Amino acid sequence: MSRRRDNSEGPAMRPSGAGWPQLVSLAGLAVVLFFSIQNWNETRKLQTTLGERFGAVDSRLTQLATKVDQAVRQAPPPQRGPDPNKVYQVRTDSAPSEGPKTAPIVIAEFSDFQ
Amino acid sequence: MRIAWKHFPLDFHAKAPLAHLASAAANEQGKFWPFHDKVFGAQAKMDKDAYLQYARDLGLDVKRFEDALNTGRGKAAIDADVAEAKGLGVTGTPAFFVNGKFLSGAKPFSEFATAINAELTRLKIPIPAAAQQAAAGGAPTAGG
């Protein structure tokens, strides 16, 4: 307890020195607080902008996907050669052929040697 | 029934153009099909010497045959067939048209029989029993 008393003698020194460190640390705290708040604000702003951007990108992607789907649906099925439901005119008069000229069935064969 | 040959040498078959020219040269002398069979019978040999040998084997006028080959006499007819094929939308071989109806690729015999029988029905020509059986998937029988 006697030590405490010793310390309690300190206040006599206060006006000259003990106030400054406290002030400085208070100021430091204020600065830190200020920057944290600012930082937090910036982060929030950034998050909002990013959120908006992602939203925009997302909706654009959805639009694109619908367009692609529509295009795929509207596109005609890939044509693989002549239409098997059609009747084509194939010139066979001068082609090398086997069988009577007046045959009711004529098969034209497009082919190659190899 | 008549089978007509239409030239369609595919672009990526390097040896096809000469083979088609040679077959056209044989056709000049009325020997297209025997020549065709020779070429298909020996796919490995597809050069000018082989074609000249086939021409000799078939009793053709070899000088005329060689002249047709050298001057490319059949080229116009071949090109016309290719243009016609492309106009019809044909992209691969073999491609068959049964009375103008398209049958693509190497189809089983029964598909030809079906297509032919459909045409016979349309033309009100009686279908032989063997042909009906063939269309149903049965093997072609002798005399059918």
Side-chain angles (χ1 to χ4, degrees), chain A residues 76-99:
Chain A
Q79 195 79 38
R80 289 197 144 267
D83 185 346
N85 299 313
K86 263 192 182 169
V87 176
Y88 293 91
Q89 290 290 328
V90 185
R91 289 191 298 272
T92 56
D93 303 338
S94 56
S97 63
E98 229 169 11

Side-chain angles (χ1 to χ4, degrees), chain B residues 18-35:
Chain B
L18 187 66
H20 284 266
L21 263 186
S23 73
N27 188 46
E28 267 185 11
Q29 301 183 47
K31 294 275 184 171
F32 174 83
W33 292 106
F35 191 87

Side-chain angles (χ1 to χ4, degrees), chain A residues 66-77:
Chain A
T66 0
K67 272 189 189 166
V68 167
D69 281 348
Q70 278 175 352
V72 166
R73 246 177 276 129
Q74 281 168 7

Side-chain angles (χ1 to χ4, degrees), chain B residues 91-141:
Chain B
T91 53
T93 60
F96 298 92
F97 288 86
V98 179
N99 278 7
K101 282 196 182 148
F102 177 60
L103 267 179
S104 138
K107 295 275 189 201
F109 179 78
S110 62
E111 283 211 35
F112 282 95
T114 305
I116 291 164
N117 289 351
E119 274 306 293
L120 289 174
T121 307
R122 192 178 66 82
L123 298 166
K124 298 192 172 69
I125 297 169
I127 301 166
Q132 282 177 7
Q133 194 192 327
T141 51

Side-chain angles (χ1 to χ4, degrees), chain A residues 88 91 98 106-107 109 112, chain B residues 2 6 13 84 99-100:
Chain A
Y88 293 91
R91 289 191 298 272
E98 229 169 11
V106 179
I107 298 180
E109 175 188 359
D112 76 339
Chain B
R2 186 160 68 92
K6 303 289 282 179
H13 286 166
E84 191 179 2
N99 278 7

Side-chain angles (χ1 to χ4, degrees), chain B residues 46-58:
Chain B
M46 289 189 71
D47 54 25
K48 195 176 165 186
D49 286 346
Y51 302 146
L52 289 173
Q53 186 56 49
Y54 300 156
R56 270 189 290 274
D57 293 348
L58 295 169

